Amino acid sequence: KADPNNKTAHFNLGVSYLKSKKYDLAIPEFQKTAQLDPSDTQAKSLAEICEGMVALSKGNYSAGAQHFQGALKASPDNPDAKRLLNQCNAKIYMDQKNYPAAVTVLTRVIQDDPGNYSAYENLGVIYYQQKDYKKAVDYLGHAAKLAPESQTYKFLGFSYYNLGDFNNAIEHFNKSIKLELAKDPKDQDKDSLDQTYYDLAVAYSDNGSFDDAADAYGNAFKVNPKDSNAAVNQAGAIDATVNSHLEKASNFLVNSQYSDAIAEYQKVQIGRAHV
């Protein structure tokens, strides 16, 4: 206010807003700096980066890419602009289902920024879509180490299930559910939670754990009472549970293992109580 044309003050105020992620407030400060000193390529570059970040906050990746290209035009060696441009292009390619191009760009992102969670997650999702489940597990597993997220664990569960590794599928579905339930109820993704419970139940069933499958189907139905498939499959899992315990009890009786047989018959009653 005391010196409206103080270039250094405008620039530093812009940096302060940038570090506080107040990108919309930083933009005019950097633009004013560049206006006062047209040779200040750093101010021009930072103004473009902030405009790109505002575009990203609105989900406009094409506009974001244009601004990051503008930042590189002003400052060709700006590492942040390069990284952000690659991330935008990856998102654009993924939306276009141009997976080879997306893989190329995301691999470049990881080379420049080995701790980039989004790049690892997106690569994992791409390989999952392409049914390359081993690579999906590698990239999603790395993403989960960087930032445990419910969606990442869900896709890990899907990938392990498709590899026939039901134990790992069950473990990761449960981790996904635990993280989702830890959120405030208003922030929980109910559709995703329903799907994860359902797929957990399928994994339990294929792994011969019919009691757990029945419980998981029941939880899916609680999350989404309109999920008729969960209700029907829960009944089927209960029947499978009862039959499994009856068969085990009979085998124990044949071998005169009466205590074990009684325990199995008691489990039959618990299974029927689900109904």
PDB file of all heavy atoms in Angstrom, residues 184-214:
ATOM      1  N   ASP A 184     -15.488 -39.649   8.088  1.00  0.00           N
ATOM      2  CA  ASP A 184     -16.770 -39.142   8.570  1.00  0.00           C
ATOM      3  C   ASP A 184     -17.880 -39.730   7.686  1.00  0.00           C
ATOM      4  O   ASP A 184     -17.717 -39.793   6.460  1.00  0.00           O
ATOM      5  CB  ASP A 184     -16.778 -37.611   8.465  1.00  0.00           C
ATOM      6  CG  ASP A 184     -17.984 -36.993   9.131  1.00  0.00           C
ATOM      7  OD1 ASP A 184     -19.088 -37.122   8.578  1.00  0.00           O
ATOM      8  OD2 ASP A 184     -17.823 -36.383  10.194  1.00  0.00           O
ATOM      9  N   PRO A 185     -18.994 -40.181   8.278  1.00  0.00           N
ATOM     10  CA  PRO A 185     -20.061 -40.819   7.484  1.00  0.00           C
ATOM     11  C   PRO A 185     -20.493 -40.027   6.259  1.00  0.00           C
ATOM     12  O   PRO A 185     -20.771 -40.605   5.206  1.00  0.00           O
ATOM     13  CB  PRO A 185     -21.207 -40.952   8.499  1.00  0.00           C
ATOM     14  CG  PRO A 185     -20.512 -41.098   9.809  1.00  0.00           C
ATOM     15  CD  PRO A 185     -19.302 -40.206   9.719  1.00  0.00           C
ATOM     16  N   LYS A 186     -20.502 -38.707   6.367  1.00  0.00           N
ATOM     17  CA  LYS A 186     -20.939 -37.900   5.226  1.00  0.00           C
ATOM     18  C   LYS A 186     -19.915 -37.918   4.095  1.00  0.00           C
ATOM     19  O   LYS A 186     -20.245 -37.586   2.940  1.00  0.00           O
ATOM     20  CB  LYS A 186     -21.240 -36.467   5.658  1.00  0.00           C
ATOM     21  CG  LYS A 186     -20.044 -35.629   6.036  1.00  0.00           C
ATOM     22  CD  LYS A 186     -20.481 -34.225   6.432  1.00  0.00           C
ATOM     23  CE  LYS A 186     -19.358 -33.262   6.693  1.00  0.00           C
ATOM     24  NZ  LYS A 186     -18.176 -33.753   7.352  1.00  0.00           N
ATOM     25  N   ASP A 187     -18.674 -38.299   4.404  1.00  0.00           N
ATOM     26  CA  ASP A 187     -17.617 -38.324   3.385  1.00  0.00           C
ATOM     27  C   ASP A 187     -17.381 -39.725   2.814  1.00  0.00           C
ATOM     28  O   ASP A 187     -16.576 -39.901   1.901  1.00  0.00           O
ATOM     29  CB  ASP A 187     -16.301 -37.810   3.975  1.00  0.00           C
ATOM     30  CG  ASP A 187     -16.391 -36.351   4.392  1.00  0.00           C
ATOM     31  OD1 ASP A 187     -17.099 -35.593   3.701  1.00  0.00           O
ATOM     32  OD2 ASP A 187     -15.768 -35.981   5.399  1.00  0.00           O
ATOM     33  N   GLN A 188     -18.078 -40.714   3.342  1.00  0.00           N
ATOM     34  CA  GLN A 188     -17.878 -42.092   2.885  1.00  0.00           C
ATOM     35  C   GLN A 188     -18.508 -42.297   1.506  1.00  0.00           C
ATOM     36  O   GLN A 188     -19.586 -41.775   1.222  1.00  0.00           O
ATOM     37  CB  GLN A 188     -18.489 -43.079   3.882  1.00  0.00           C
ATOM     38  CG  GLN A 188     -17.751 -43.150   5.205  1.00  0.00           C
ATOM     39  CD  GLN A 188     -18.454 -44.032   6.223  1.00  0.00           C
ATOM     40  OE1 GLN A 188     -19.420 -44.726   5.898  1.00  0.00           O
ATOM     41  NE2 GLN A 188     -17.989 -44.002   7.465  1.00  0.00           N
ATOM     42  N   ASP A 189     -17.830 -43.075   0.687  1.00  0.00           N
ATOM     43  CA  ASP A 189     -18.344 -43.441  -0.644  1.00  0.00           C
ATOM     44  C   ASP A 189     -19.166 -44.716  -0.483  1.00  0.00           C
ATOM     45  O   ASP A 189     -18.627 -45.819  -0.483  1.00  0.00           O
ATOM     46  CB  ASP A 189     -17.174 -43.658  -1.609  1.00  0.00           C
ATOM     47  CG  ASP A 189     -17.632 -43.869  -3.046  1.00  0.00           C
ATOM     48  OD1 ASP A 189     -18.777 -44.310  -3.246  1.00  0.00           O
ATOM     49  OD2 ASP A 189     -16.818 -43.625  -3.960  1.00  0.00           O
ATOM     50  N   LYS A 190     -20.482 -44.555  -0.330  1.00  0.00           N
ATOM     51  CA  LYS A 190     -21.351 -45.693  -0.039  1.00  0.00           C
ATOM     52  C   LYS A 190     -21.358 -46.713  -1.184  1.00  0.00           C
ATOM     53  O   LYS A 190     -21.385 -47.924  -0.951  1.00  0.00           O
ATOM     54  CB  LYS A 190     -22.782 -45.211   0.230  1.00  0.00           C
ATOM     55  CG  LYS A 190     -22.914 -44.272   1.423  1.00  0.00           C
ATOM     56  CD  LYS A 190     -22.515 -44.955   2.724  1.00  0.00           C
ATOM     57  CE  LYS A 190     -22.752 -44.049   3.921  1.00  0.00           C
ATOM     58  NZ  LYS A 190     -22.322 -44.662   5.194  1.00  0.00           N
ATOM     59  N   ASP A 191     -21.355 -46.233  -2.421  1.00  0.00           N
ATOM     60  CA  ASP A 191     -21.357 -47.153  -3.572  1.00  0.00           C
ATOM     61  C   ASP A 191     -20.092 -48.000  -3.579  1.00  0.00           C
ATOM     62  O   ASP A 191     -20.134 -49.213  -3.819  1.00  0.00           O
ATOM     63  CB  ASP A 191     -21.477 -46.379  -4.884  1.00  0.00           C
ATOM     64  CG  ASP A 191     -22.851 -45.748  -5.064  1.00  0.00           C
ATOM     65  OD1 ASP A 191     -23.818 -46.243  -4.435  1.00  0.00           O
ATOM     66  OD2 ASP A 191     -22.964 -44.763  -5.815  1.00  0.00           O
ATOM     67  N   SER A 192     -18.952 -47.348  -3.327  1.00  0.00           N
ATOM     68  CA  SER A 192     -17.680 -48.075  -3.304  1.00  0.00           C
ATOM     69  C   SER A 192     -17.648 -49.058  -2.143  1.00  0.00           C
ATOM     70  O   SER A 192     -17.161 -50.188  -2.276  1.00  0.00           O
ATOM     71  CB  SER A 192     -16.518 -47.088  -3.196  1.00  0.00           C
ATOM     72  OG  SER A 192     -15.286 -47.773  -3.145  1.00  0.00           O
ATOM     73  N   LEU A 193     -18.180 -48.644  -0.993  1.00  0.00           N
ATOM     74  CA  LEU A 193     -18.200 -49.504   0.190  1.00  0.00           C
ATOM     75  C   LEU A 193     -19.060 -50.741  -0.059  1.00  0.00           C
ATOM     76  O   LEU A 193     -18.676 -51.871   0.291  1.00  0.00           O
ATOM     77  CB  LEU A 193     -18.727 -48.711   1.381  1.00  0.00           C
ATOM     78  CG  LEU A 193     -18.475 -49.260   2.792  1.00  0.00           C
ATOM     79  CD1 LEU A 193     -16.989 -49.526   3.016  1.00  0.00           C
ATOM     80  CD2 LEU A 193     -18.995 -48.276   3.822  1.00  0.00           C
ATOM     81  N   ASP A 194     -20.214 -50.541  -0.671  1.00  0.00           N
ATOM     82  CA  ASP A 194     -21.103 -51.658  -1.023  1.00  0.00           C
ATOM     83  C   ASP A 194     -20.384 -52.636  -1.956  1.00  0.00           C
ATOM     84  O   ASP A 194     -20.374 -53.856  -1.733  1.00  0.00           O
ATOM     85  CB  ASP A 194     -22.359 -51.094  -1.702  1.00  0.00           C
ATOM     86  CG  ASP A 194     -23.257 -52.176  -2.304  1.00  0.00           C
ATOM     87  OD1 ASP A 194     -23.271 -53.311  -1.777  1.00  0.00           O
ATOM     88  OD2 ASP A 194     -23.945 -51.881  -3.290  1.00  0.00           O
ATOM     89  N   GLN A 195     -19.733 -52.087  -2.981  1.00  0.00           N
ATOM     90  CA  GLN A 195     -19.025 -52.931  -3.945  1.00  0.00           C
ATOM     91  C   GLN A 195     -17.878 -53.698  -3.293  1.00  0.00           C
ATOM     92  O   GLN A 195     -17.665 -54.877  -3.572  1.00  0.00           O
ATOM     93  CB  GLN A 195     -18.479 -52.074  -5.092  1.00  0.00           C
ATOM     94  CG  GLN A 195     -17.769 -52.884  -6.169  1.00  0.00           C
ATOM     95  CD  GLN A 195     -17.105 -51.998  -7.210  1.00  0.00           C
ATOM     96  OE1 GLN A 195     -16.917 -50.803  -6.997  1.00  0.00           O
ATOM     97  NE2 GLN A 195     -16.755 -52.579  -8.347  1.00  0.00           N
ATOM     98  N   THR A 196     -17.153 -53.026  -2.401  1.00  0.00           N
ATOM     99  CA  THR A 196     -15.999 -53.669  -1.755  1.00  0.00           C
ATOM    100  C   THR A 196     -16.456 -54.794  -0.834  1.00  0.00           C
ATOM    101  O   THR A 196     -15.849 -55.875  -0.802  1.00  0.00           O
ATOM    102  CB  THR A 196     -15.156 -52.649  -0.985  1.00  0.00           C
ATOM    103  OG1 THR A 196     -14.860 -51.535  -1.824  1.00  0.00           O
ATOM    104  CG2 THR A 196     -13.844 -53.263  -0.535  1.00  0.00           C
ATOM    105  N   TYR A 197     -17.519 -54.548  -0.062  1.00  0.00           N
ATOM    106  CA  TYR A 197     -18.077 -55.622   0.786  1.00  0.00           C
ATOM    107  C   TYR A 197     -18.512 -56.806  -0.082  1.00  0.00           C
ATOM    108  O   TYR A 197     -18.269 -57.973   0.268  1.00  0.00           O
ATOM    109  CB  TYR A 197     -19.286 -55.109   1.570  1.00  0.00           C
ATOM    110  CG  TYR A 197     -18.970 -54.533   2.923  1.00  0.00           C
ATOM    111  CD1 TYR A 197     -19.408 -53.246   3.267  1.00  0.00           C
ATOM    112  CD2 TYR A 197     -18.270 -55.263   3.882  1.00  0.00           C
ATOM    113  CE1 TYR A 197     -19.134 -52.707   4.524  1.00  0.00           C
ATOM    114  CE2 TYR A 197     -17.998 -54.731   5.139  1.00  0.00           C
ATOM    115  CZ  TYR A 197     -18.435 -53.460   5.452  1.00  0.00           C
ATOM    116  OH  TYR A 197     -18.172 -52.937   6.704  1.00  0.00           O
ATOM    117  N   TYR A 198     -19.157 -56.500  -1.197  1.00  0.00           N
ATOM    118  CA  TYR A 198     -19.650 -57.560  -2.088  1.00  0.00           C
ATOM    119  C   TYR A 198     -18.486 -58.384  -2.637  1.00  0.00           C
ATOM    120  O   TYR A 198     -18.510 -59.621  -2.623  1.00  0.00           O
ATOM    121  CB  TYR A 198     -20.455 -56.943  -3.233  1.00  0.00           C
ATOM    122  CG  TYR A 198     -21.187 -57.958  -4.082  1.00  0.00           C
ATOM    123  CD1 TYR A 198     -22.522 -58.265  -3.831  1.00  0.00           C
ATOM    124  CD2 TYR A 198     -20.555 -58.606  -5.140  1.00  0.00           C
ATOM    125  CE1 TYR A 198     -23.203 -59.197  -4.602  1.00  0.00           C
ATOM    126  CE2 TYR A 198     -21.220 -59.542  -5.904  1.00  0.00           C
ATOM    127  CZ  TYR A 198     -22.544 -59.831  -5.637  1.00  0.00           C
ATOM    128  OH  TYR A 198     -23.199 -60.763  -6.395  1.00  0.00           O
ATOM    129  N   ASP A 199     -17.451 -57.700  -3.112  1.00  0.00           N
ATOM    130  CA  ASP A 199     -16.303 -58.413  -3.682  1.00  0.00           C
ATOM    131  C   ASP A 199     -15.518 -59.155  -2.607  1.00  0.00           C
ATOM    132  O   ASP A 199     -14.936 -60.206  -2.875  1.00  0.00           O
ATOM    133  CB  ASP A 199     -15.403 -57.442  -4.445  1.00  0.00           C
ATOM    134  CG  ASP A 199     -16.053 -56.962  -5.732  1.00  0.00           C
ATOM    135  OD1 ASP A 199     -16.531 -57.791  -6.507  1.00  0.00           O
ATOM    136  OD2 ASP A 199     -16.102 -55.745  -5.951  1.00  0.00           O
ATOM    137  N   LEU A 200     -15.506 -58.603  -1.402  1.00  0.00           N
ATOM    138  CA  LEU A 200     -14.895 -59.311  -0.273  1.00  0.00           C
ATOM    139  C   LEU A 200     -15.648 -60.617  -0.029  1.00  0.00           C
ATOM    140  O   LEU A 200     -15.029 -61.670   0.193  1.00  0.00           O
ATOM    141  CB  LEU A 200     -14.944 -58.434   0.978  1.00  0.00           C
ATOM    142  CG  LEU A 200     -14.529 -59.091   2.300  1.00  0.00           C
ATOM    143  CD1 LEU A 200     -13.061 -59.529   2.257  1.00  0.00           C
ATOM    144  CD2 LEU A 200     -14.763 -58.130   3.464  1.00  0.00           C
ATOM    145  N   ALA A 201     -16.969 -60.556  -0.092  1.00  0.00           N
ATOM    146  CA  ALA A 201     -17.784 -61.762   0.116  1.00  0.00           C
ATOM    147  C   ALA A 201     -17.495 -62.809  -0.949  1.00  0.00           C
ATOM    148  O   ALA A 201     -17.385 -64.008  -0.654  1.00  0.00           O
ATOM    149  CB  ALA A 201     -19.265 -61.392   0.097  1.00  0.00           C
ATOM    150  N   VAL A 202     -17.345 -62.372  -2.190  1.00  0.00           N
ATOM    151  CA  VAL A 202     -17.033 -63.301  -3.285  1.00  0.00           C
ATOM    152  C   VAL A 202     -15.678 -63.968  -3.026  1.00  0.00           C
ATOM    153  O   VAL A 202     -15.520 -65.182  -3.209  1.00  0.00           O
ATOM    154  CB  VAL A 202     -17.022 -62.565  -4.638  1.00  0.00           C
ATOM    155  CG1 VAL A 202     -16.508 -63.483  -5.747  1.00  0.00           C
ATOM    156  CG2 VAL A 202     -18.431 -62.073  -4.987  1.00  0.00           C
ATOM    157  N   ALA A 203     -14.698 -63.173  -2.587  1.00  0.00           N
ATOM    158  CA  ALA A 203     -13.368 -63.721  -2.309  1.00  0.00           C
ATOM    159  C   ALA A 203     -13.426 -64.724  -1.160  1.00  0.00           C
ATOM    160  O   ALA A 203     -12.802 -65.794  -1.213  1.00  0.00           O
ATOM    161  CB  ALA A 203     -12.389 -62.594  -1.992  1.00  0.00           C
ATOM    162  N   TYR A 204     -14.166 -64.391  -0.101  1.00  0.00           N
ATOM    163  CA  TYR A 204     -14.334 -65.326   1.014  1.00  0.00           C
ATOM    164  C   TYR A 204     -14.978 -66.623   0.527  1.00  0.00           C
ATOM    165  O   TYR A 204     -14.547 -67.725   0.888  1.00  0.00           O
ATOM    166  CB  TYR A 204     -15.221 -64.711   2.099  1.00  0.00           C
ATOM    167  CG  TYR A 204     -14.506 -63.870   3.122  1.00  0.00           C
ATOM    168  CD1 TYR A 204     -15.010 -62.620   3.494  1.00  0.00           C
ATOM    169  CD2 TYR A 204     -13.354 -64.331   3.756  1.00  0.00           C
ATOM    170  CE1 TYR A 204     -14.376 -61.848   4.464  1.00  0.00           C
ATOM    171  CE2 TYR A 204     -12.719 -63.572   4.721  1.00  0.00           C
ATOM    172  CZ  TYR A 204     -13.230 -62.329   5.068  1.00  0.00           C
ATOM    173  OH  TYR A 204     -12.596 -61.580   6.027  1.00  0.00           O
ATOM    174  N   SER A 205     -16.011 -66.492  -0.277  1.00  0.00           N
ATOM    175  CA  SER A 205     -16.722 -67.672  -0.770  1.00  0.00           C
ATOM    176  C   SER A 205     -15.814 -68.560  -1.612  1.00  0.00           C
ATOM    177  O   SER A 205     -15.767 -69.783  -1.432  1.00  0.00           O
ATOM    178  CB  SER A 205     -17.935 -67.234  -1.597  1.00  0.00           C
ATOM    179  OG  SER A 205     -18.685 -68.345  -2.025  1.00  0.00           O
ATOM    180  N   ASP A 206     -15.052 -67.942  -2.518  1.00  0.00           N
ATOM    181  CA  ASP A 206     -14.141 -68.712  -3.372  1.00  0.00           C
ATOM    182  C   ASP A 206     -13.004 -69.322  -2.564  1.00  0.00           C
ATOM    183  O   ASP A 206     -12.373 -70.282  -3.004  1.00  0.00           O
ATOM    184  CB  ASP A 206     -13.574 -67.823  -4.477  1.00  0.00           C
ATOM    185  CG  ASP A 206     -14.614 -67.486  -5.540  1.00  0.00           C
ATOM    186  OD1 ASP A 206     -15.690 -68.118  -5.534  1.00  0.00           O
ATOM    187  OD2 ASP A 206     -14.360 -66.591  -6.365  1.00  0.00           O
ATOM    188  N   ASN A 207     -12.758 -68.739  -1.383  1.00  0.00           N
ATOM    189  CA  ASN A 207     -11.713 -69.267  -0.510  1.00  0.00           C
ATOM    190  C   ASN A 207     -12.272 -70.287   0.484  1.00  0.00           C
ATOM    191  O   ASN A 207     -11.551 -70.792   1.340  1.00  0.00           O
ATOM    192  CB  ASN A 207     -11.047 -68.113   0.254  1.00  0.00           C
ATOM    193  CG  ASN A 207      -9.622 -68.422   0.661  1.00  0.00           C
ATOM    194  OD1 ASN A 207      -8.882 -69.065  -0.087  1.00  0.00           O
ATOM    195  ND2 ASN A 207      -9.228 -67.982   1.840  1.00  0.00           N
ATOM    196  N   GLY A 208     -13.569 -70.582   0.363  1.00  0.00           N
ATOM    197  CA  GLY A 208     -14.202 -71.588   1.225  1.00  0.00           C
ATOM    198  C   GLY A 208     -14.581 -71.079   2.602  1.00  0.00           C
ATOM    199  O   GLY A 208     -14.947 -71.868   3.478  1.00  0.00           O
ATOM    200  N   SER A 209     -14.543 -69.753   2.804  1.00  0.00           N
ATOM    201  CA  SER A 209     -14.901 -69.170   4.108  1.00  0.00           C
ATOM    202  C   SER A 209     -16.343 -68.658   4.024  1.00  0.00           C
ATOM    203  O   SER A 209     -16.595 -67.453   3.909  1.00  0.00           O
ATOM    204  CB  SER A 209     -13.945 -68.036   4.465  1.00  0.00           C
ATOM    205  OG  SER A 209     -12.611 -68.484   4.495  1.00  0.00           O
ATOM    206  N   PHE A 210     -17.293 -69.583   4.087  1.00  0.00           N
ATOM    207  CA  PHE A 210     -18.688 -69.233   3.833  1.00  0.00           C
ATOM    208  C   PHE A 210     -19.301 -68.391   4.946  1.00  0.00           C
ATOM    209  O   PHE A 210     -20.170 -67.551   4.697  1.00  0.00           O
ATOM    210  CB  PHE A 210     -19.501 -70.497   3.598  1.00  0.00           C
ATOM    211  CG  PHE A 210     -18.990 -71.328   2.445  1.00  0.00           C
ATOM    212  CD1 PHE A 210     -18.453 -72.592   2.662  1.00  0.00           C
ATOM    213  CD2 PHE A 210     -19.018 -70.827   1.155  1.00  0.00           C
ATOM    214  CE1 PHE A 210     -17.957 -73.341   1.602  1.00  0.00           C
ATOM    215  CE2 PHE A 210     -18.528 -71.569   0.090  1.00  0.00           C
ATOM    216  CZ  PHE A 210     -17.995 -72.829   0.312  1.00  0.00           C
ATOM    217  N   ASP A 211     -18.868 -68.609   6.210  1.00  0.00           N
ATOM    218  CA  ASP A 211     -19.364 -67.776   7.315  1.00  0.00           C
ATOM    219  C   ASP A 211     -19.015 -66.309   7.073  1.00  0.00           C
ATOM    220  O   ASP A 211     -19.865 -65.420   7.201  1.00  0.00           O
ATOM    221  CB  ASP A 211     -18.751 -68.226   8.649  1.00  0.00           C
ATOM    222  CG  ASP A 211     -19.242 -69.596   9.080  1.00  0.00           C
ATOM    223  OD1 ASP A 211     -20.443 -69.710   9.362  1.00  0.00           O
ATOM    224  OD2 ASP A 211     -18.436 -70.529   9.123  1.00  0.00           O
ATOM    225  N   ASP A 212     -17.739 -66.078   6.746  1.00  0.00           N
ATOM    226  CA  ASP A 212     -17.289 -64.712   6.494  1.00  0.00           C
ATOM    227  C   ASP A 212     -17.965 -64.126   5.262  1.00  0.00           C
ATOM    228  O   ASP A 212     -18.276 -62.926   5.221  1.00  0.00           O
ATOM    229  CB  ASP A 212     -15.769 -64.684   6.322  1.00  0.00           C
ATOM    230  CG  ASP A 212     -15.032 -65.011   7.615  1.00  0.00           C
ATOM    231  OD1 ASP A 212     -15.515 -64.616   8.681  1.00  0.00           O
ATOM    232  OD2 ASP A 212     -13.984 -65.683   7.547  1.00  0.00           O
ATOM    233  N   ALA A 213     -18.196 -64.963   4.262  1.00  0.00           N
ATOM    234  CA  ALA A 213     -18.873 -64.500   3.049  1.00  0.00           C
ATOM    235  C   ALA A 213     -20.281 -64.026   3.378  1.00  0.00           C
ATOM    236  O   ALA A 213     -20.730 -62.971   2.905  1.00  0.00           O
ATOM    237  CB  ALA A 213     -18.916 -65.614   2.007  1.00  0.00           C
ATOM    238  N   ALA A 214     -20.995 -64.812   4.203  1.00  0.00           N
ATOM    239  CA  ALA A 214     -22.362 -64.426   4.593  1.00  0.00           C
ATOM    240  C   ALA A 214     -22.361 -63.080   5.309  1.00  0.00           C
ATOM    241  O   ALA A 214     -23.216 -62.215   5.049  1.00  0.00           O
ATOM    242  CB  ALA A 214     -22.973 -65.506   5.475  1.00  0.00           C
TER     243      ALA A 214
END
